[in-house]
Amino acid sequence: MREPLLVPVGQYLGPVHAGPGRPPRHHLVRIGWDTVALADGVEADLWSLAHGRPDIVGLLPATRSTLDAVAAEVGVLGTEDAVTRMLAAGVLAEVPVGSPRAEQFAAGHRWHSLLTGLAEGPGGMGVGLLGAPPLRELTPPAFEVWTWAQLFPDLLTAAAALVRGVATPGSDLATTDPDAALTTLLDSLPELTCVRAGWIDIVPGAR
Amino acid sequence: MTAPGGVLLALGWQAGPADADGGVVVWLADRPCTLTAAEHQVWSLSLGRPDGTGPTTAGDVVATAGLPAGEVGRLLDGLAARGLVLTGPDLVSLAPRVRLVCIADGWGNTAEQPAAFTYGIGSRPLVRLPRFLYEAVATAHRWPDLQQAATGSAEVFAVTAPHLAEATDPAVLLSRLLDALPALCSTHTAHLAPAAVRPGGPA
């Protein structure tokens, strides 16, 4: 059985320094209309790492065990309590792909795309800032999620719509199986969040 | 033809190339629009001046496009007919017709400049704003249009930052948001979408 995905939730609004020369008081993450303050240090570092680190090849943190491995690699220690706190605060979510809990997560969360689309490169469609090198060349499924998922009120509806044929023919998302489409969508998230190509919010009223 | 003195707002989110000839796909809400290279050039100039010095006019686009005025006018008219450019006498009149969507990462502030909150992409800072404006930009997409975003955000700031007159007066906050649009849009910190058709309050 697969280990659950560990998904970061929320719109990052950065550190807040209370005054000149002072360390960050906290880091702001907005979820719905709420704001969550992440403690500077292990908590903020872990939440950032949970988005993925494309520069650490082979250790794209999509699960708790890969997050632990990446955290150890970059020297972030004492992760267990911080992960537990962030799961409770809703800024991290464990999603057992292929289970009813995955559908529940997808029905209660939605996608917001960031960045702009650039030229197609050898690794896929580039996304980033116009006039600058792409931050990442996305695989076809990730590019389709980036392009389309933001149009739908939640991830479950987005996956269902992709099944109905809005996805590019021949892509991994062009399937007739809603469960398979949702799994592909969820599996694409780390590729997108690792370069902050978007973020996941709660559906209004879902919290 | 688009009035030379009227203000322009370019709508849409650039999602990638359309073809090998410089065509570009721009999403207008749930509709992909293909722009030719010339249309894209004029659309991009209509996003605003990166230095944020005032709203963009058709005259500004003519002056910077390097194309004959008649050609720029024809391209602007075509973009306007497709909903990719809005024109009006001033930005306030256009605010109920657009929704502001932030597409950059929030970087917060720094110990060196605690009053300046930055949006950036990758390693490049794009726009620095006072905190109330930074937060209003972050949440603007939750409202059906920019005017309602200003009104709703001002109500929130009346509770969280009642001492900030700029933030708690809806008209002043809308004015500050509109002033920031050229810098926000031309740097791709944010884009404008058509006002949402859904009735009621924020998403």
Side-chain angles (χ1 to χ4, degrees), chain B residues 165-185:
Chain B
E166 285 180 298
T168 56
D169 182 324
V172 175
L173 180 57
L174 177 60
S175 174
R176 293 297 306 273
L177 283 165
L178 292 171
D179 287 346
L181 281 186
L184 290 169
C185 294

Side-chain angles (χ1 to χ4, degrees), chain A residues 11-17 20-22 28 30 32-33 112 114-118 129-130 143 146-147 150-151 196 201 204, chain B residues 13-15 17 27 29 102-103 105-111 114 121 124 131 134 138-139 141-143 187-188 202-203:
Chain A
Q11 179 185 23
Y12 184 59
L13 292 176
V16 177
H17 297 74
R22 297 175 64 178
L28 287 180
R30 185 174 279 281
W33 288 103
H112 290 279
L114 303 176
L115 310 179
T116 54
L118 308 174
L129 177 65
L130 286 171
F143 182 70
W146 180 78
T147 305
Q150 63 175 333
L151 300 175
R196 306 296 173 107
D201 199 3
Chain B
W13 171 61
Q14 182 161 331
W27 280 80
C102 182
I103 53 171
D105 220 12
W107 288 8
N109 66 355
T110 64
I121 288 178
R124 191 174 300 188
R131 181 166 181 175
Y134 176 82
T139 55
H141 69 274
R142 299 178 185 278
W143 301 91
T187 59
H188 301 283

